[in-house]
C-alpha cells in the first residue's frame, strides 16, 4: 500500500474529519490516478485511507478515517447501502431522488440520481473513476433500477485529468423519463438535460412556492432561470393565474411549455421567453410590467470564494431589478447555488439590493436544498444552495408604507 506523508501541522483538518488533502499539504508520496493510499501525519501515524489524484489540487479524497477498514468492493457496497438507507427514511415526495450526494455520503466525486427506474450518475473524481464498474454493479443490484446512464461530462473532470464521458453504463433505451414530484408530473432527458437531467435540489422549494402562492393569493408569477419550468408548474398548481418562464435555453423552454399542458393547465396561462434574464428584467422595468411573485434561480455565479465579489454584484443586480418589478406584498424567492457565497453573504447581497430598489422585505423563510442533498457537518463546502423567501414591503421612500 502506498503512503502519502503530510507536512507537519497539515493533519489538523483530517483530524476534524474533513475529507480533502490539498497538494500543498503533502511532504512526500504519490500513486496512480484513483489508487488507494494511506495518508499519514508527519510523524507517520495513520490519518485516513483516500484516493490519490495526481493532477488535482485536491490530491487525496478520503474514503475512510478508520485504519481497520479495507477499501474494496464490500466497502463501496456498504457506503452505497448507507446512502440508500438514509433516502428510504426521508419519505421524499417524488420518484426523482438524489441517491448519492458525493462527500456527504462518503463517496467523494459520485453523484447518483434516480428518475423512476432510470439512474443517472456522474463520476467526477479519479477515485470514483477507478471504482466505476463496481459502483455500477452495486447500484443495479441494490436499487432495482432497470438502467443506468452515465453523465460524466461535467467540466470538473478535467481538473482530475479525466476525459468527459456519457452514455448507457447498464441497460439501454429511451433517455426521456417522466417523474411525479409532489402533486405534478415532470419530464426530463438524462442524455440531453443539465447535470444528470434535472434540478432535484429545488424540489421542496417548488412545493414551498406552490403553498405560498395559494396562501397569499398571488396571481402573476415570473420564473427567472426557469430551466424546464418546474417552479412555474408549482405556481400554477398553487392557483397562480399566469406564469412567465425566462431562460436562455430554447430546448428547456420547449419542455417547460409541454409541462404546463402535461399538468392540465391551459397554455394561455403560460409564456416562455428565450432571453437573458437581466435584459428581460430591464425590459419589464421600462414597459411597466409587474409581478406578484418572482423566482430567481440563477446558475452558479461564483464557483469558489475567489469569485465571490464579482458574483455578489451580479446577484445584487438581478435582485434589485426583481424587487423593483414586484408588487408590494409580493413574494420573491431568490437563490444562490454558488459554493463561494455563504448564506450570510447572500443575505447581505439581497438586503443591499432591496435598499437600492427603495424597498424592504420581510423574510418569510430561509431555504436550502432538499434533504436528499445532505451537507455533512465535517464538510461545509458541500453546502451550496441557499435561498430567501421575502415578502416585499414598501421601503422608506414610499410614504404609504405601514406605520
Ligand atoms: N429553476 C430551475 C433550475 C435553474 S438552473 C429548476 O427548478 O429546474 C439555471 C438555468 O439558468 C439554466 O436553465 C440555464 O439555461 C439558465 N441560464 C443561465 N444563464 C442565463 C441567463 N443569463 N439568462 C437566462 N437564463 C440563463
Amino acid at each position: 500500500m502506498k503512503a502519502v506523508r503530510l507536512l507537519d501541522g497539515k493533519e489538523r483538518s483530517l483530524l476534524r474529519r474533513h475529507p480533502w488533502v490539498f497538494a500543498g499539504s503533502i511532504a512526500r508520496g504519490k500513486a496512480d490516478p484513483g489508487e488507494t493510499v494511506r495518508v499519514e501525519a508527519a510523524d507517520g501515524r495513520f490519518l485516513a485511507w483516500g484516493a490519490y489524484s495526481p493532477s488535482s489540487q485536491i490530491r487525496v479524497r478520503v474514503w475512510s478515517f478508520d485504519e481497520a477498514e479495507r477499501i474494496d468492493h464490500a466497502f463501496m457496497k456498504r457506503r452505497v447501502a448507507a446512502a440508500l438507507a438514509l433516502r428510504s427514511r426521508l419519505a421524499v415526495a417524488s420518484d426523482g431522488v438524489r441517491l448519492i450526494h458525493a462527500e456527504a455520503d462518503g463517496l467523494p466525486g459520485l453523484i447518483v440520481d434516480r428518475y423512476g427506474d432510470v439512474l443517472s450518475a456522474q463520476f467526477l473524481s479519479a477515485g470514483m473513476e477507478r471504482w466505476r464498474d463496481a459502483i455500477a454493479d452495486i447500484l443495479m443490484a441494490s436499487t432495482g433500477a432497470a438502467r443506468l446512464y452515465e453523465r460524466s461530462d461535467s467540466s470538473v473532470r478535467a481538473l482530475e485529468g479525466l476525459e468527459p464521458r456519457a452514455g448507457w453504463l447498464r441497460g439501454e433505451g429511451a433517455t426521456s423519463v417522466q417523474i411525479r414530484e409532489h402533486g405534478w408530473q415532470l419530464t426530463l432527458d438524462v442524455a440531453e438535460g443539465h447535470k444528470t437531467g434535472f434540478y432535484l435540489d429545488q424540489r421542496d422549494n417548488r412545493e414551498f412556492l406552490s403553498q405560498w402562492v395559494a396562501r397569499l393569493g398571488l396571481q402573476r408569477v415570473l420564473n427567472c432561470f426557469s430551466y424546464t419550468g418546474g417552479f412555474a408548474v408549482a405556481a400554477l398548481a398553487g392557483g397562480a393565474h399566469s406564469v412567465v418562464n425566462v431562460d436562455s435555453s430554447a430546448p428547456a423552454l420547449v419542455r417547460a411549455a409541454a409541462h404546463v399542458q402535461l399538468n392540465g393547465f391551459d397554455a394561455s396561462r403560460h409564456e416562455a421567453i428565450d432571453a437573458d434574464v437581466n435584459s428581460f428584467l430591464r425590459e419589464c422595468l421600462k414597459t411597466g410590467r409587474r409581478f406578484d411573485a418572482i423566482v430567481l434561480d440563477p446558475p452558479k455565479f461564483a464557483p469558489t470564494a475567489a469569485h465571490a465579489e464579482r458574483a455578489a454584484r451580479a446577484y445584487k443586480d438581478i435582485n434589485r431589478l426583481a424587487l423593483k418589478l414586484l408588487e408590494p406584498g409580493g413574494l420573491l424567492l431568490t437563490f444562490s447555488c454558488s459554493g463561494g457565497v455563504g448564506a450570510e453573504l447572500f443575505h447581505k447581497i439581497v438586503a443591499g439590493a432591496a435598499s437600492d430598489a427603495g424597498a424592504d422585505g420581510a423574510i418569510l423563510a430561509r431555504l436550502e436544498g432538499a434533504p436528499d442533498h445532505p451537507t455533512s457537518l465535517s464538510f461545509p463546502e458541500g453546502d451550496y444552495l441557499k435561498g430567501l423567501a421575502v415578502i416585499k414591503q414598501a421601503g422608506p421612500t414610499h410614504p404609504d408604507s405601514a406605520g
Side-chain angles (χ1 to χ4, degrees):
M1 179 64 59
K2 292 179 187 164
V4 162
R5 178 74 61 101
L6 301 191
L7 293 164
D8 194 25
K10 294 296 185 185
E11 72 284 1
R12 277 195 284 267
S13 66
L14 287 168
L15 293 174
R16 279 185 272 112
R17 299 193 151 242
H18 187 276
W20 289 352
V21 178
F22 286 97
S25 303
I26 296 176
R28 63 169 192 266
K30 50 176 166 246
D32 294 333
E35 194 176 355
T36 301
V37 292
R38 178 190 156 95
V39 183
E40 308 173 341
D43 60 10
R45 105 192 108 116
F46 172 87
L47 293 170
W49 301 113
Y52 193 80
S53 183
S55 61
S56 174
Q57 277 308 302
I58 305 171
R59 196 56 52 88
V60 180
R61 291 175 196 254
V62 170
W63 292 125
S64 171
F65 294 100
D66 176 1
E67 190 166 11
E69 194 151 35
R70 283 192 52 192
I71 310 307
D72 53 13
H73 192 279
F75 168 84
M76 297 297 158
K77 210 169 153 182
R78 285 196 298 279
R79 285 285 158 96
V80 170
L84 297 181
L86 173 63
R87 301 318 184 276
S88 72
R89 300 175 65 205
L90 294 177
V92 175
S94 173
D95 50 8
V97 183
R98 171 140 308 179
L99 297 181
I100 297 177
H101 193 50
E103 273 80 355
D105 285 302
L107 292 166
L110 179 64
I111 299 290
V112 182
D113 288 334
R114 176 174 198 143
Y115 301 115
D117 65 356
V118 177
L119 302 179
S120 184
Q122 298 182 306
F123 297 83
L124 304 176
S125 63
M128 248 18 279
E129 179 78 359
R130 198 156 170 125
W131 289 95
R132 175 170 162 265
D133 248 339
I135 292 287
D137 288 339
I138 293 165
L139 286 171
M140 296 312 288
S142 55
T143 63
R147 299 174 287 146
L148 166 60
Y149 198 86
E150 178 176 12
R151 282 297 300 274
S152 301
D153 52 5
S154 161
S155 58
V156 303
R157 270 179 58 107
L159 303 175
E160 298 275 325
L162 301 168
E163 297 287 318
R165 195 197 302 109
W168 288 110
L169 192 50
R170 294 289 183 275
E172 58 182 3
T175 53
S176 63
V177 195
Q178 183 165 328
I179 60 169
R180 170 201 47 80
E181 176 181 286
H182 296 290
W184 41 85
Q185 305 292 324
L186 296 164
T187 67
L188 60 110
D189 191 308
V190 291
E192 305 287 327
H194 295 180
K195 306 210 282 184
T196 68
F198 191 65
Y199 294 89
L200 292 171
D201 51 0
Q202 290 286 24
R203 177 197 313 112
D204 294 352
N205 297 326
R206 288 188 278 266
E207 166 73 359
F208 178 95
L209 176 68
S210 185
Q211 303 243 336
W212 283 97
V213 158
R215 274 187 226 174
L216 301 173
L218 304 171
Q219 291 298 311
R220 298 160 296 170
V221 177
L222 172 61
N223 184 20
C224 297
F225 308 96
S226 67
Y227 188 48
T228 57
F231 276 106
V233 168
L236 288 169
H241 184 263
S242 65
V243 292
V244 179
N245 281 315
V246 185
D247 204 281
S248 53
S249 158
L253 289 171
V254 168
R255 202 174 280 277
H259 283 157
V260 169
Q261 298 197 50
L262 177 65
N263 287 279
F265 303 110
D266 198 280
S268 64
R269 293 166 68 185
H270 168 243
E271 201 181 327
I273 296 179
D274 185 346
D276 168 65
V277 163
N278 204 294
S279 323
F280 177 76
L281 294 175
R282 284 172 200 282
E283 188 63 31
C284 289
L285 204 57
K286 254 194 250 160
T287 58
R289 190 165 183 186
R290 297 293 179 267
F291 298 92
D292 303 307
I294 301 180
V295 179
L296 291 177
D297 184 21
K300 210 187 311 186
F301 287 161
T304 70
H307 305 81
E309 205 169 304
R310 215 174 96 216
R313 280 198 294 277
Y315 284 120
K316 187 171 172 187
D317 213 31
I318 53 171
N319 279 280
R320 177 180 57 81
L321 291 166
L323 281 158
K324 283 194 161 193
L325 298 182
L326 203 57
E327 296 286 7
L331 178 66
L332 173 67
L333 244 60
T334 180
F335 298 95
S336 161
C337 60
S338 296
V341 174
E344 208 176 318
L345 174 58
F346 188 59
H347 181 148
K348 280 193 189 136
I349 292 168
V350 177
S355 151
D356 286 1
D360 203 347
I363 297 176
L364 181 62
R366 293 164 213 277
L367 304 170
E368 56 189 4
D372 50 337
H373 300 63
T375 302
S376 66
L377 288 170
S378 54
F379 184 62
E381 289 90 337
D383 191 11
Y384 65 104
L385 181 61
K386 72 277 312 173
L388 290 172
V390 177
I391 295 183
K392 178 177 172 178
Q393 298 167 308
T397 55
H398 296 258
D400 57 344
S401 64

